[in-house]
Amino acid sequence: MILITGASGVVGRQVMNQLVHEGTTVTAVTRGTGDARFPDGVAVVRGDLFHPEWIEAALEGVEALQISPRATGPGLGELLRLAAARGVRRAVLLSATTVEYPAGEARFAARFKHAEELVRNSGLDWTILRLADFAANALAWAPQIRAGDVVRGAYARAATSPLHEADIAGVAVHALRGSLRKEAIHTLTGPQSLDQVEKVRLIGTAIGRALSFQELPPEQVRQGMLAQGLSEEIPARLLGSLADYAERPGPTTSTVEDLLGRPALTFADWAHDNAPAFGG
Ligand SMILES: NC(=O)c1ccc[n+]([C@@H]2O[C@H](COP(=O)([O-])OP(=O)(O)OC[C@H]3O[C@@H](n4cnc5c(N)ncnc54)[C@H](OP(=O)(O)O)[C@@H]3O)[C@@H](O)[C@H]2O)c1
């Protein structure tokens, strides 16, 4: 059995779907506060992993654990201790490229670094996936694109190689099954470096509209996000990394293709797959 933390997140959902499709038994962990639905056949356990003591019984018979640091937060050390005690064999951590290629405020990369250290010292077999920014982050533009043809945001020239969640999940599933080399760190990115102007244009192509990106001062974007009720942390995380990626693009690796034996999916593929979210 495979246990997925952050199961209602972008990666968790994809990993569950791929595992269920292959007939693997899956347990999903959720706080149960949202309206997330889980595939038929998935066992769902509800609770907050920031305080993970309650999950001990559900770890019985689990072979591998997928870890979303956002979902486990400060509970990760204890979760790993319980997992080792209950005979869990493997842990797959969703980390970030910022550990290796600094971008944005150091405190955010430090959280991933700390999670990596905990996993490496857990006594379990481990795989660390250092992930570039998700293509799915572009869903934040969906309300603007449904309302008009211009996306307004900061740092038009910030460039990254965005990852399709199906590729993240494809690699994670191999790691969870134990078919990747043990104790390895893989840096996963999309195949192509794109700035924000190009990303918006590709979404436009996918939905058959001419879209453009209009650059705004970062402080105006920050104030707009706070006015929407987002916590201070969200603009701090976003704007800090965009500022750095405007100076120096994020990394591009061939790891997805090396591990999956097929080309990594492009941002254009992702935009096509997600066209309905943008009104396409
Ligand atoms: N987005 C990126 O570009 C990027 C890049 C590199 C790494 N990562 C990391 O990759 C991991 C997976 O990301 P993801 O987008 O698939 O998942 P996610 O959006 O971070 O969400 C994972 C799930 O965690 C649960 N959760 C539990 N406690 C939470 C809390 N205090 N705050 C927020 N969510 C909480 C939520 O599920 P319930 O409500 O069901 O409990 C949420 O759906 C994350 O740890 C993220 O930090 C992301």
Side-chain angles (χ1 to χ4, degrees):
M1 191 204 305
I2 309 277
L3 186 131
I4 309 289
T5 69
S8 62
V10 173
V11 180
R13 276 190 314 245
Q14 279 281 328
V15 169
M16 276 191 305
N17 287 338
Q18 292 192 20
L19 289 170
V20 167
H21 184 71
E22 293 169 358
T24 304
T25 320
V26 178
T27 297
V29 187
T30 175
R31 292 166 302 174
T33 49
D35 54 4
R37 297 230 296 267
F38 298 95
D40 286 347
V42 167
V44 179
V45 293
R46 291 179 199 279
D48 188 341
L49 288 171
F50 283 28
H51 307 280
E53 300 73 18
W54 60 272
I55 204 173
E56 192 166 359
L59 291 167
E60 200 62 55
V62 169
E63 182 188 340
L65 189 62
Q66 173 161 294
I67 297 161
S68 159
R70 195 169 297 153
T72 56
L76 178 55
E78 179 63 7
L79 173 63
L80 290 166
R81 196 189 63 72
L82 294 170
R86 286 280 171 163
V88 176
R89 286 169 52 194
R90 280 186 293 284
V92 177
L93 175 71
L94 306 177
S95 183
T97 52
T98 49
V99 170
E100 190 178 352
Y101 301 91
E105 290 183 31
R107 64 181 160 133
F108 297 118
R111 289 184 200 164
F112 286 111
K113 265 185 213 161
H114 179 58
E116 290 192 2
E117 276 163 25
L118 291 174
V119 168
R120 293 171 75 145
N121 294 322
S122 65
L124 307 183
D125 291 344
W126 52 265
T127 304
I128 291 171
L129 304 180
R130 288 184 178 155
L131 308 173
D133 71 315
F134 300 177
N137 295 346
L139 290 171
W141 292 332
Q144 293 193 69
I145 291 174
R146 284 199 300 268
D149 291 339
V150 181
V151 172
R152 294 175 179 83
Y155 301 109
R157 292 297 163 198
T160 61
S161 296
L163 266 167
H164 195 305
E165 56 272 16
D167 283 349
I168 306 172
V171 174
V173 164
H174 281 303
L176 288 163
R177 280 213 234 89
S179 51
L180 295 185
R181 189 162 49 87
K182 277 193 281 188
E183 311 207 335
I185 298 176
H186 301 289
T187 301
L188 308 185
T189 78
Q192 233 183 336
S193 186
L194 298 166
D195 67 19
Q196 307 217 74
V197 176
E198 293 161 325
K199 288 176 190 168
V200 166
R201 186 184 56 75
L202 287 167
I203 294 170
T205 305
I207 62 173
R209 283 167 47 200
L211 302 180
S212 62
F213 187 93
Q214 182 191 343
E215 182 164 305
L216 298 180
E219 183 54 24
Q220 188 177 336
V221 174
R222 196 178 81 83
Q223 292 299 339
M225 292 173 90
L226 297 179
Q228 283 172 37
L230 298 176
S231 72
E232 287 271 356
E233 184 170 318
I234 310 274
R237 199 165 55 212
L238 177 75
L239 295 170
S241 56
L242 287 177
D244 286 340
Y245 291 138
E247 295 291 320
R248 189 174 53 152
T252 308
T253 69
S254 62
T255 314
V256 169
E257 178 162 5
D258 298 342
L259 295 177
L260 296 183
R262 58 148 178 85
L265 296 166
T266 64
F267 188 77
D269 293 326
W270 180 88
H272 177 265
D273 295 343
N274 289 273
F278 299 100

